[in-house]
Amino acid sequence: MPKLSPADVPEVKLDAAAAAVEASMTREQRRGLFEKPGTVVYAIVELTSKSYTGHAEGEEKPAQVKVRVTGCEVARTDEDAKSLIEARRAMYRGRQIDGTFDEVGQGPLRPDAGLADLMATKPSEADLKAYKRRREQERQDEYVR
């Protein structure tokens, strides 16, 4: 892996593979994106670097890194979308306060504060494991019949 100088900032390119995004969307969401241009969906994505282009001495090409969406969950309800929008806004305000932008925000809000109430209504890991056990038991009971 080439080392970059502190002044170098690589350009980030998104890999064309979007299977993780597609798999997390409902049929209705996919149809809506196609049928109604301008439709917006909100998602939490995980990006993984897959390849890079280093920069050789004497070459004018900037450093680039290609990232791929390797994990994704798309908001399926208005409540989920509102929570993701609020988290995004809070993170944006944080970037402003950190000096990424010229403007100064009103003050940081913890993104997790708005999500805590929503997360309380969502299944936990224990709930998921219990569901999977029940489902497996139902399959076994059905097989015995």
Side-chain angles (χ1 to χ4, degrees):
M1 180 68 70
K3 296 289 183 198
L4 298 173
S5 77
D8 290 328
V9 179
E11 183 180 3
V12 176
K13 296 285 189 173
L14 187 59
D15 185 68
V21 175
E22 182 178 0
S24 67
M25 296 178 73
T26 65
R27 180 177 191 261
E28 291 77 22
Q29 286 173 320
R30 287 188 254 164
R31 288 184 58 88
L33 288 170
F34 179 82
E35 294 172 346
K36 301 172 197 152
T39 296
V40 174
V41 295
Y42 292 90
I44 296 173
V45 297
E46 172 186 274
L47 301 174
T48 303
S49 60
K50 291 297 180 179
S51 63
Y52 66 91
T53 303
H55 56 284
E57 284 188 42
E59 191 174 314
E60 295 298 317
K61 188 173 183 181
Q64 291 182 348
V65 61
K66 187 175 281 190
V67 296
R68 180 176 298 157
V69 175
T70 53
C72 180
E73 285 301 325
V74 175
R76 294 174 181 237
T77 66
D78 288 344
E79 182 181 64
D80 287 348
K82 287 176 186 176
S83 295
L84 293 179
I85 292 166
E86 192 53 42
R88 184 192 70 198
R89 288 177 180 155
M91 292 166 67
Y92 180 79
R93 288 189 297 268
R95 286 195 302 143
Q96 289 176 321
I97 289 167
D98 289 342
T100 305
F101 300 109
D102 292 337
E103 308 133 16
V104 177
Q106 294 292 321
L109 294 179
R110 290 182 34 230
D112 62 334
L115 293 176
D117 292 336
L118 173 68
M119 297 314 293
T121 67
K122 299 297 179 189
S124 67
E125 286 294 323
D127 294 334
L128 178 60
K129 288 178 183 176
Y131 166 77
K132 287 180 177 180
R133 282 194 300 272
R134 283 193 310 271
R135 193 168 156 198
E136 184 59 32
Q137 186 61 48
E138 289 171 0
R139 285 185 186 152
Q140 289 176 3
D141 291 347
E142 211 171 277
Y143 180 75
V144 171
R145 289 184 226 177

